[in-house]
Amino acid sequence: MPGTTDIAPRAGYPAQLLAVSRRALAQLVRSPSHSRRAEAARKLARHSLWLSAAGAALVIVLMVAFDQTEIQLMPARGTPSLWPIRILTDFGKDEYLLLVLGSALVALAFVAAGLHGTRRALLLGLGTRLQFVFLSIAVPAFAADILKYLIGRGRPFVGGKANAFNFVPFEGTGAYASLPSAHAVAAFALAFAVSALWPRLRVFMFTYAIVILLTRLVLLAHHPSDVVAGALVGMVGAMAVRYWFAARRLGFAIRSDGTIVAVPGPFKRVARGASAP
């Protein structure tokens, strides 16, 4: 959300709310203006290429050598004692994460519309960061849904056998939506996004993402290669969203070598030189 506060203070609350909402959307689609965005784009392309190549190779190795063995070691689907795992896994469900973040953004807009000056600027600065986290999950989640439909991989034991190569492309049902894992996409996208903004939370966030990944395996919702593919899609998608924000000077700065770094948050004193030209 925008950090500017030049919305006329004498306008009524509905007009203020509309103006805040318009600016929140307009900043996301405005033309990129950062002078170092080309360097950042090249660095993003290199990192995405290497990460995708390594991830794809690992997915193939797991599919050929490990998937079938791993699912045969897991407890039967529906085992009553797994109820805590079934609760825990929902913390990585993209619909729930997006609902919470979307609700927070709506609530923030309603509150910001009634504020002025520094208080509004601080709140809208936080809103920009929430927009980043929301889109970091939404964009790769959308891509994952397309991949699921195109690939059509059967979930473990669909068809009655432990078959790691049960593919029915364009089938479009949940039974054939195993690759990539949507929970892994959302969990790793969230972990990357939060870590990009607040690096001190990196260990905690990626531990959370790995736990979500493991719950999908224990519940026989996915093969190991599915969750690795999901983690890959989530990370690359969140990296692309981070570049989009940095190129528009939203929450991130770009160093001379193309490295993207978070600008100190709205509730901290902005460090000297943190915002690159």
Side-chain angles (χ1 to χ4, degrees), residues 195-248:
S195 299
L197 291 170
W198 301 286
R200 291 183 179 180
L201 296 177
R202 183 178 292 115
V203 173
F204 172 79
M205 291 306 303
F206 279 99
T207 299
Y208 148 81
I210 292 170
V211 169
I212 295 299
L213 181 152
L214 293 175
T215 66
R216 306 310 290 163
L217 300 180
V218 172
L219 294 174
L220 284 178
H222 291 284
H223 304 85
S225 57
D226 298 333
V227 294
V228 171
L232 173 64
V233 172
M235 292 277 288
V236 172
M239 289 167 59
V241 173
R242 183 182 62 170
Y243 167 77
W244 184 276
F245 273 66
R248 288 157 179 79

Side-chain angles (χ1 to χ4, degrees), residues 3 16 22 34 43 62 91 110 112 135 149 168 194 204 214 236 259 267:
Q16 293 279 345
R22 281 179 175 173
H34 206 295
K43 195 159 192 173
L62 290 173
F91 284 90
F110 273 96
L135 290 174
Y149 177 75
V168 183
V194 172
F204 172 79
L214 293 175
V236 172
T259 300
F267 298 101

